[in-house]
Amino acid sequence: GRGGTLSNLGGIHSERGDLEEASDLFRQAISLQRRALAVHPKHPTYLNFLQNHQWNLIETLFHQGRYSEAAAAAEEIVRSFPKVLRIYVYAAEMYLRCAELKSENIDNDNASSEIRRYRQRACELLEESAKATDKTPDAIGSMAWHLLIWPDISARDPHRAHRLAEGLTNEFPKRGSFWRTMGIAHYR
């Protein structure tokens, strides 16, 4: 539909470096996708497209250095998909990326305060992720892995990562990536 077309155009503008136009197109795509979902609220393709449009917008805002807007858009996607574990992981990752880049350019106390808020919210999202019910094995594995390797040490939780990975290795004993995650969690 039109939302997909606008999102594709946004992607083209993003690749060309016209991030302002790209973010406007992604916002329009989100608006159209929400209208389609108002008519068909559980349509899986429409829901998937909405997630894609929202992530495209978040990434574009992030690359523009508009961290507070990227964080607000991350909050919106969590509100839109409160049951999806991978959304929490990606949103927490976005907050930590914003904190990391913002910390490279600390110029005042407000920036320092904003960095602390970003880090705190990332940790809160990781805690809130426990209420997610849409937990694919890959999403759980990604969550466990991220709990081990976040650049920001305050977001790491090797004990939780170990519990998650242990459950995965019990259920999927032939998936090497789950064993690797459990081994690293055990080591840490």
Side-chain angles (χ1 to χ4, degrees):
R2 281 188 59 207
T5 301
L6 290 171
S7 189
N8 289 340
L9 283 172
I12 291 168
H13 280 276
S14 182
E15 288 175 11
R16 291 181 178 167
D18 186 1
L19 300 179
E20 191 64 41
E21 181 65 21
S23 60
D24 288 342
L25 289 164
F26 293 136
R27 283 190 178 97
Q28 290 175 45
I30 290 167
S31 177
L32 287 173
Q33 207 64 54
R34 287 195 183 284
R35 281 193 235 154
L37 282 164
V39 177
H40 304 284
K42 299 204 184 279
H43 195 288
T45 303
Y46 294 174
L47 289 166
N48 189 45
F49 284 165
L50 179 60
Q51 284 182 25
N52 291 340
H53 303 334
Q54 287 179 305
W55 279 117
N56 288 336
L57 175 61
I58 291 166
E59 285 294 330
T60 302
L61 292 169
F62 176 80
H63 289 294
Q64 287 177 289
R66 295 161 62 178
Y67 305 127
S68 60
E69 290 179 61
E75 290 296 330
E76 178 60 30
I77 197 169
V78 170
R79 280 191 300 276
S80 298
F81 300 96
K83 297 179 180 182
V84 182
L85 177 63
R86 70 183 170 89
I87 296 296
Y88 287 92
V89 175
Y90 292 152
E93 181 181 13
M94 177 55 60
Y95 272 100
L96 292 174
R97 288 169 59 200
C98 288
E100 184 179 359
L101 286 179
K102 193 79 170 171
S103 69
E104 292 175 2
N105 301 308
I106 290 182
D107 54 358
N108 58 41
D109 288 338
N110 286 342
S112 185
S113 174
E114 190 174 15
I115 291 165
R116 281 191 301 278
R117 282 195 311 273
Y118 287 152
R119 288 178 175 155
Q120 177 63 37
R121 184 60 184 139
C123 291
E124 290 169 359
L125 284 166
L126 295 173
E127 289 300 315
E128 290 172 21
S129 72
K131 67 184 176 186
T133 55
D134 182 352
K135 299 178 180 182
T136 66
D138 287 333
I140 296 168
S142 176
M143 172 75 146
W145 182 250
H146 280 87
L147 288 169
L148 293 171
I149 59 121
W150 293 117
D152 186 328
I153 293 172
S154 69
R156 293 182 187 174
D157 187 346
H159 297 294
R160 185 175 178 198
H162 188 272
R163 284 192 311 274
L164 292 170
E166 186 173 40
L168 289 169
T169 57
N170 289 336
E171 192 171 342
F172 304 97
K174 295 185 180 191
R175 293 278 301 267
S177 61
F178 298 156
W179 284 101
R180 179 192 67 204
T181 301
M182 190 169 77
I184 293 171
H186 184 72
Y187 172 75
R188 292 201 178 188

